[in-house]
Amino acid sequence: MRRLTQRLANATLVLLVALAATGATALTLTVPVRALADEGATQVYSAAQAPELSAQAAFLYDRTTGTVLLDKNAGERHYPASMTKVMTALVALEHANLTDEVTVEQADLDMITADSSNAGLRAGETLTVENLLACLLLPSGNESAYVLARHVAGDYQAFVDMMNSRAAELGCTGTHFVNPCGLHDDNHYTTAHDMALILSEAEKNADFVRISGSATWDLPETSMNPARTLKNTDLLVNPESNLYMDAVTCGKTGYTGDAGRCLAAGAFKDGLDVVGVVMAAPESEGSTAAISNMHDLLSWGLSAWQTTSIVNAGDVLGTSAVRLSKDGEKLNVSAADAIAATLPAGTTEDDLDVAFSWQGPLTAPVEAGQPLGTAAVSFQGRELATIGAVAAFGMRLSIPAFVMDWLSDPIHMVIVVVALVALFVLVGLLASRGSRRRQRDLRREHDRRRAQAAGRRVGAHYATPRKKR
């Protein structure tokens, strides 16, 4: 049976080659080239080789460290289309409660064009803010944007002012909104960089992540609609899609003829927390152009990069020379703090460059844990952080080495010579003074003895003789 199967496979291959050689067009080989590779083969990504994206603008950065992984025209203004709804959801979440009940009004529906994406809302039905957000973020319901805007601000114009103010607070310098849903307007624009800032802020709200990251959402029955299930336009969160990525946590698609295909998405894997944006992907690539671009972008970013504590407190950063120590000439220098950084996958401490703040050798004694200064840690010319540097162990002072070092200074030598001369002079003076004092004392003693002797002679001369008995 195995031989028969092999013969059939060989015959098929021969037929394909023959048809190709004769220019036959009746048979088309539709199997993707990557499918012919071994089933166990895994694509290897390199941080040095970014993916080629058809989108006109793209941006990818790590939220934890702020490291930009890819910037393709990220500062250029483009139309965001329904990615606008990320800001709409953010402002609504910050100013309304999920349990608030809102009734759809006809005025909300009058703002919608015939070709708008919608969630099928009808005037008179009442939904909670949570369900309105699901209508906004999954099927990209434009009418839901106007319902939420009216509920929060009274009218959509006031709500749009809130959106623009919030964008400015986030540091968006290339963004201006005109409506809450993303319908085209020449004055309604943003950049891939700004959109990443907006999505990153929205990700801080767990409800935004929960709702926008859902593949489906069950809406309850209302007075105007039966119970129904909403489907997310972002295939990256749909487990049944061949573009599904388990790492994707949230996002929002966008499309108009002027904007092209757009997508903002957040993803998390192995400590890497990234936000990606692609804008103006060509419509010629189909409705999934932006999603395919984002799939390639995130696959590369989550595989080729790592966010980790590349340096931990206590890790040895290098060595420093030490003078006058009786314990050797080298001292290990340790990190006083940890450094979390986003770097190419596989990067280790050996790949880092460290510059200490002090110049030349240290001088003993040095105590274990003693602060020595700072260490600037960089990778391929990019400074990661400046942290404290401490001694990994102690180094005792060598007294003989200290004395010899002190004497090696000419000034110190002059001081020693002067001190010795002064000492000799002082000793001489003291010795001379002592000699004179001894001589004086001797003369005084001599004079005293002479006086005593003279006194005895005088006394003997005048003494009365004693009578004999």
Side-chain angles (χ1 to χ4, degrees), residues 59-71 272-275 300 305-308 340-344 379 382-384:
F59 189 71
L60 181 69
Y61 88 109
D62 178 77
R63 296 177 65 214
T64 304
T65 63
T67 304
V68 176
L69 309 182
L70 183 141
D71 182 334
L272 197 64
D273 188 359
V274 297
V275 169
W300 170 76
W305 296 84
Q306 62 179 7
T307 294
T308 184
T342 303
L343 299 168
F379 174 75
R382 173 168 65 91
E383 184 171 329
L384 304 178

Side-chain angles (χ1 to χ4, degrees), residues 15-30:
L15 177 60
L16 290 173
V17 172
L19 288 172
T22 58
T25 58
L27 180 62
T28 303
L29 186 61
T30 60

Side-chain angles (χ1 to χ4, degrees), residues 149-437:
R150 175 177 53 81
H151 174 67
V152 170
D155 59 68
Y156 84 88
Q157 291 92 342
F159 186 84
V160 169
D161 289 340
M162 297 172 67
M163 294 170 65
N164 285 319
S165 295
R166 194 70 175 94
E169 290 175 1
L170 295 176
C172 300
T173 58
T175 297
H176 184 260
F177 297 114
V178 174
N179 59 65
C181 65
L183 283 174
H184 178 72
D185 188 292
D186 288 346
N187 291 319
H188 188 102
Y189 52 79
T190 188
T191 68
H193 171 268
D194 286 1
M195 197 67 238
L197 294 181
I198 295 170
L199 179 59
S200 182
E201 185 68 15
E203 279 195 73
K204 295 178 182 178
N205 190 301
D207 291 315
F208 173 84
V209 175
R210 175 175 58 87
I211 297 171
S212 68
S214 298
T216 59
W217 188 274
D218 293 328
L219 279 183
E221 179 182 1
T222 69
S223 60
M224 305 298 293
N225 270 311
R228 60 196 190 277
T229 299
L230 306 176
K231 292 185 178 181
N232 201 322
T233 57
D234 183 5
L235 299 179
L236 294 178
V237 299
N238 184 353
E240 298 179 357
S241 169
N242 59 358
L243 292 172
Y244 171 71
M245 296 186 72
D246 182 61
V248 174
T249 57
C250 61
K252 184 68 193 75
T253 60
Y255 167 73
T256 65
D258 294 282
R261 301 290 177 176
C262 308
L263 176 60
F268 183 87
K269 179 182 179 182
D270 298 333
L272 197 64
D273 188 359
V274 297
V275 169
V277 178
V278 294
M279 302 187 74
E283 189 175 355
S284 60
E285 295 183 4
S287 60
T288 61
I291 300 175
S292 296
N293 271 255
M294 183 64 74
H295 190 281
D296 292 343
L297 180 61
L298 293 180
S299 295
W300 170 76
L302 296 174
S303 299
W305 296 84
Q306 62 179 7
T307 294
T308 184
S309 294
I310 193 68
V311 173
N312 296 305
D315 286 351
V316 175
L317 298 173
T319 62
S320 178
V322 181
R323 302 170 56 250
L324 313 182
S325 172
K326 65 187 300 183
D327 298 313
E329 299 179 349
K330 294 289 185 180
L331 170 68
N332 287 347
V333 180
S334 298
D337 310 291
I339 298 177
T342 303
L343 299 168
T347 302
T348 66
E349 290 182 29
D350 295 336
D351 301 313
L352 304 178
D353 297 313
V354 180
F356 297 128
S357 59
W358 61 91
Q359 301 293 325
L362 300 168
T363 301
V366 178
E367 296 182 3
Q370 176 180 323
L372 304 175
T374 60
V377 182
S378 59
F379 174 75
Q380 295 182 352
R382 173 168 65 91
E383 184 171 329
L384 304 178
T386 298
I387 59 175
V390 299
F393 47 78
M395 300 284 277
R396 295 172 295 175
L397 175 66
S398 169
I399 300 301
F402 172 78
V403 172
M404 295 302 297
D405 178 75
W406 194 88
L407 291 176
S408 66
D409 188 325
I411 295 178
H412 293 167
M413 182 59 72
V414 171
I415 293 173
V416 170
V417 172
V418 171
L420 288 175
V421 170
L423 179 62
F424 291 148
V425 171
L426 178 61
V427 170
L429 290 174
L430 292 175
S432 175
R433 184 177 179 180
S435 177
R436 288 195 299 272
R437 182 182 295 114

